[in-house]
Coordinates of all heavy atoms in Angstrom, one line a residue:
S80 N -32.3 6.0 80.6 CA -33.1 6.2 81.8 C -34.6 5.9 81.5 O -35.1 6.0 80.4 CB -33.0 7.7 82.2 OG -33.5 8.6 81.2
H81 N -35.3 5.5 82.5 CA -36.7 5.2 82.5 C -37.3 5.6 83.8 O -37.1 5.0 84.8 CB -36.9 3.7 82.3 CG -38.4 3.3 82.1 ND1 -38.8 2.0 81.8 CD2 -39.5 4.0 82.1 CE1 -40.1 1.9 81.7 NE2 -40.5 3.2 81.9
V82 N -37.9 6.8 83.8 CA -38.4 7.4 85.0 C -39.9 7.7 84.9 O -40.5 7.8 83.9 CB -37.6 8.7 85.3 CG1 -36.1 8.3 85.6 CG2 -37.6 9.6 84.2
R83 N -40.5 7.9 86.1 CA -41.9 8.1 86.2 C -42.1 9.2 87.3 O -41.3 9.4 88.2 CB -42.7 6.9 86.6 CG -42.4 5.7 85.8 CD -43.0 4.4 86.4 NE -42.6 3.2 85.7 CZ -41.5 2.6 86.0 NH1 -40.7 3.0 87.0 NH2 -41.1 1.5 85.3
G84 N -43.3 9.8 87.3 CA -43.6 10.8 88.3 C -45.1 11.0 88.4 O -45.9 10.6 87.5
D85 N -45.5 11.6 89.5 CA -46.9 11.8 89.8 C -47.5 13.1 89.1 O -48.7 13.2 88.8 CB -47.2 11.8 91.3 CG -47.0 10.5 91.9 OD1 -47.1 9.5 91.3 OD2 -46.6 10.5 93.1
R86 N -46.6 14.1 89.0 CA -47.0 15.4 88.4 C -45.9 15.9 87.5 O -44.7 15.9 87.8 CB -47.2 16.4 89.6 CG -48.4 16.0 90.5 CD -48.5 17.0 91.6 NE -48.7 18.4 91.2 CZ -49.9 18.8 91.0 NH1 -51.0 18.1 91.2 NH2 -50.1 20.1 90.5
L87 N -46.3 16.3 86.3 CA -45.4 16.9 85.4 C -44.8 18.2 85.9 O -45.5 19.0 86.4 CB -46.1 17.2 84.0 CG -46.3 15.9 83.2 CD1 -47.3 16.2 82.1 CD2 -45.0 15.4 82.6
P88 N -43.5 18.4 85.8 CA -42.9 19.7 86.2 C -43.2 20.8 85.3 O -43.7 20.6 84.2 CB -41.4 19.4 86.2 CG -41.2 18.3 85.2 CD -42.5 17.5 85.3
A89 N -42.9 22.0 85.7 CA -43.3 23.2 84.9 C -42.7 23.2 83.5 O -43.3 23.7 82.6 CB -42.9 24.5 85.7
S90 N -41.5 22.7 83.4 CA -40.8 22.7 82.1 C -41.6 21.9 81.1 O -41.4 22.1 79.9 CB -39.4 22.3 82.2 OG -39.3 20.9 82.7
A91 N -42.3 20.9 81.5 CA -43.0 20.0 80.6 C -44.5 20.4 80.3 O -45.1 19.9 79.4 CB -43.1 18.6 81.2
T92 N -45.0 21.4 81.1 CA -46.4 21.8 80.9 C -46.6 23.3 80.4 O -47.7 23.7 80.2 CB -47.2 21.6 82.2 OG1 -46.6 22.4 83.2 CG2 -47.2 20.1 82.5
A93 N -45.5 24.0 80.2 CA -45.6 25.4 79.8 C -46.3 25.5 78.5 O -47.1 26.5 78.3 CB -44.2 26.0 79.7
Q94 N -46.1 24.6 77.6 CA -46.8 24.7 76.3 C -48.1 23.8 76.3 O -48.9 23.9 75.3 CB -45.9 24.2 75.2 CG -44.6 25.0 75.0 CD -43.7 24.5 73.9 OE1 -44.1 24.3 72.8 NE2 -42.4 24.4 74.3
R95 N -48.3 23.0 77.3 CA -49.5 22.1 77.3 C -50.1 22.2 78.7 O -50.1 21.2 79.5 CB -49.1 20.7 77.0 CG -48.4 20.5 75.7 CD -49.4 20.3 74.5 NE -48.7 20.1 73.3 CZ -49.3 19.8 72.1 NH1 -50.6 19.7 72.1 NH2 -48.6 19.7 71.0
P96 N -50.6 23.3 79.1 CA -51.2 23.4 80.5 C -52.3 22.4 80.8 O -52.5 22.1 82.0 CB -51.7 24.9 80.5 CG -51.9 25.3 79.1 CD -50.8 24.5 78.3
A97 N -52.9 21.9 79.8 CA -54.0 20.9 80.1 C -53.5 19.6 80.7 O -54.2 18.9 81.4 CB -54.8 20.6 78.8
L98 N -52.2 19.4 80.6 CA -51.6 18.2 81.1 C -51.0 18.4 82.5 O -50.4 17.4 83.1 CB -50.5 17.6 80.2 CG -51.0 17.2 78.8 CD1 -49.8 16.7 77.9 CD2 -52.1 16.2 78.8
A99 N -51.1 19.6 83.0 CA -50.5 19.9 84.3 C -51.1 19.0 85.4 O -52.3 18.7 85.4 CB -50.7 21.3 84.7
G100 N -50.3 18.4 86.2 CA -50.8 17.6 87.3 C -50.9 16.1 87.0 O -51.3 15.3 87.8
L101 N -50.7 15.7 85.7 CA -50.9 14.3 85.3 C -49.6 13.5 85.6 O -48.5 14.0 85.6 CB -51.1 14.2 83.8 CG -52.5 14.7 83.3 CD1 -52.5 14.6 81.8 CD2 -53.6 14.0 84.0
P102 N -49.8 12.2 85.9 CA -48.6 11.3 86.0 C -48.0 11.2 84.7 O -48.6 11.3 83.6 CB -49.2 10.0 86.6 CG -50.6 10.1 86.1 CD -51.1 11.5 86.1

Side-chain angles (χ1 to χ4, degrees):
S80 64
H81 185 177
V82 295
R83 309 171 189 86
D85 294 330
R86 296 174 61 86
L87 284 163
S90 63
T92 59
Q94 300 178 49
R95 304 273 184 177
L98 298 180
L101 290 179

